[in-house]
Amino acid sequence: MVRSVEQIERDIAALEQMLAGTADEFYSVDSGYLAALGQAVKQQLILASYHLCTQGYPQQFLRLSFNQRHQLQQSLKQLAKQAQETLLEQLRRVGETQPEQKSSDKPAEPEEFSPASLDVALTETVEKQWLADVAEPPTVEPQPKESEAPEPETLKPKSQDAEPQCLTPERLVRWREGVERAIARTLSQVSKEANHLFQQVDILPKELPEVLLEAASKAEEAADSVASTPNLLNLLVETVDENRPEAMPSGLSITHIVAIHLRLAEIEFTDSTVAVWRQKLRNLSGRLQSLGKEYQKKQRERAIAEAESAWRASWFED
């Protein structure tokens, strides 16, 4: 026998209270996780850069003057610090950024290094209450041309008369996915900036296409391979050697490229503190999954009860 709508709604209200508590726990754990991750990224970027300069390209590094080496190291420290600060900002910024605009155009030439460039995908943000972010996650819509792009919807003041949306498992899941995407974007951007620094001082070849590094990193992730040195990308590239056409029958030669490629899985595996926080997130995700199933079950039960009630209300005996 189907229970009354009022009874089911009380159950749903209790589940929503539990969900709100779970959301608060997510925020707390995410705060600790991102703080630990930021510190680990800072350390791992410097360590990967050390291996790249001393084992990947020792001769190129030794060709630099003392001042050039010192300046490179200072820039890497600055980049690592900015990466740490950017990760700490993710909880505030996720849900406030514009959807990414996909384009088939060729990537623009890298600009001169600036720590502010780490915020390319994470700009134009404003302070909001966290539960408001969770309850109203952004929707991905086609982006207009840059010259016609309107102000981000999240920057506009909300109407005081707007009815607040309730927190649901789906909205909380989407919020968590937004945090993970923001982390991935940050690691990718930091890797690009670090490689650009090495290109500026002729450690990495300047003509190395960024598209090639991205394709190699994606292929490596798809193959689930393990790098010999954490957070470094190793690849062999065929290049035309005009001075040594006999190098290969086709006139090509093989060049070994080593580049920075920060990987979240390797950072978590290397740093035990980050791994502990990640396990807490997994435990919370399991609890959220159970709450989501129960929530869907109650929603369907309420729909059935309301449908039966509506049937009885409109049914008349002849």
Side-chain angles (χ1 to χ4, degrees), residues 38 41-42 45 74-90 93 113-120 122 186 189-190 193:
V41 167
K42 181 179 177 181
L45 175 61
Q74 291 300 110
S75 297
L76 287 169
K77 288 180 182 179
Q78 189 178 15
L79 177 61
K81 180 181 178 181
Q82 183 63 33
Q84 183 181 19
E85 293 173 355
T86 302
L87 283 168
L88 289 174
E89 288 288 306
Q90 296 312 318
R93 296 185 174 194
F113 165 73
S114 168
S117 62
L118 284 176
D119 292 335
V120 168
L122 301 166
T186 301
Q189 185 67 23
V190 171
E193 294 287 353

Side-chain angles (χ1 to χ4, degrees), residues 1-282:
M1 181 179 178
V2 178
R3 296 185 302 155
S4 67
V5 175
E6 291 75 15
Q7 290 176 319
I8 300 171
E9 286 182 342
R10 283 196 294 270
D11 290 345
I12 292 176
L15 286 174
E16 288 174 347
Q17 287 289 335
M18 295 174 64
L19 185 61
T22 302
D24 288 338
E25 287 188 64
F26 261 119
Y27 184 80
S28 176
V29 173
D30 264 317
S31 298
Y33 171 71
L34 289 172
L37 180 61
Q39 181 64 28
V41 167
K42 181 179 177 181
Q43 296 172 348
Q44 292 298 313
L45 175 61
I46 299 301
L47 183 59
S49 299
Y50 167 79
H51 282 290
L52 185 145
C53 291
T54 60
Q55 300 180 28
Y57 299 98
Q59 295 178 342
Q60 290 85 338
F61 182 69
L62 290 173
R63 280 200 290 264
L64 301 179
S65 66
F66 174 83
N67 287 336
Q68 286 177 316
R69 292 196 295 268
H70 177 70
Q71 182 59 45
L72 173 63
Q73 291 168 341
Q74 291 300 110
S75 297
L76 287 169
K77 288 180 182 179
Q78 189 178 15
L79 177 61
K81 180 181 178 181
Q82 183 63 33
Q84 183 181 19
E85 293 173 355
T86 302
L87 283 168
L88 289 174
E89 288 288 306
Q90 296 312 318
L91 285 186
R92 179 173 66 87
R93 296 185 174 194
V94 70
E96 298 176 351
T97 56
Q98 288 179 274
E100 293 181 341
Q101 182 176 1
K102 297 183 179 180
S103 174
S104 58
D105 297 336
K106 294 181 180 180
E109 291 295 325
E111 299 177 357
E112 193 71 18
F113 165 73
S114 168
S117 62
L118 284 176
D119 292 335
V120 168
L122 301 166
T123 54
E124 297 296 316
T125 60
V126 292
E127 291 289 354
K128 293 182 180 179
Q129 292 183 355
W130 174 67
L131 283 179
D133 293 339
V134 179
E136 299 184 15
T139 56
V140 179
E141 298 178 353
Q143 286 282 74
K145 295 181 179 178
E146 184 177 355
S147 60
E148 302 174 356
E151 181 185 6
E153 188 69 26
T154 52
L155 297 183
K156 298 178 182 178
K158 295 186 180 296
S159 170
Q160 297 295 330
D161 299 330
E163 185 176 346
Q165 300 183 32
C166 65
L167 177 62
T168 65
E170 292 79 8
R171 290 193 176 96
L172 183 53
V173 167
R174 287 199 297 269
W175 182 83
R176 272 296 307 146
E177 290 173 347
V179 174
E180 294 296 334
R181 285 194 299 270
I183 292 172
R185 283 197 302 267
T186 301
L187 295 182
S188 175
Q189 185 67 23
V190 171
S191 300
K192 291 177 183 178
E193 294 287 353
N195 290 327
H196 179 47
L197 283 176
F198 292 121
Q199 286 179 312
Q200 286 182 315
V201 295
D202 294 322
I203 290 180
L204 275 176
K206 290 184 177 180
E207 65 276 7
L208 182 63
E210 186 175 294
V211 176
L212 178 63
L213 291 177
E214 292 180 356
S217 63
K218 290 179 181 178
E220 182 187 63
E221 291 170 0
D224 197 25
S225 60
V226 178
S228 56
T229 303
N231 302 302
L232 285 180
L233 182 66
N234 287 270
L235 64 152
L236 299 176
V237 181
E238 289 186 352
T239 57
V240 177
D241 191 345
E242 297 178 354
N243 297 323
R244 296 181 58 202
E246 73 284 356
M248 291 182 65
S250 60
L252 300 177
S253 61
I254 300 295
T255 301
H256 181 211
I257 300 295
V258 181
I260 300 293
H261 178 41
L262 296 175
R263 304 172 182 86
L264 181 59
E266 289 185 345
I267 295 172
E268 291 178 346
F269 179 79
T270 304
D271 193 289
S272 59
T273 303
V274 180
V276 169
W277 283 109
R278 171 58 78 176
Q279 185 58 48
K280 292 181 179 180
L281 285 174
R282 291 195 185 99

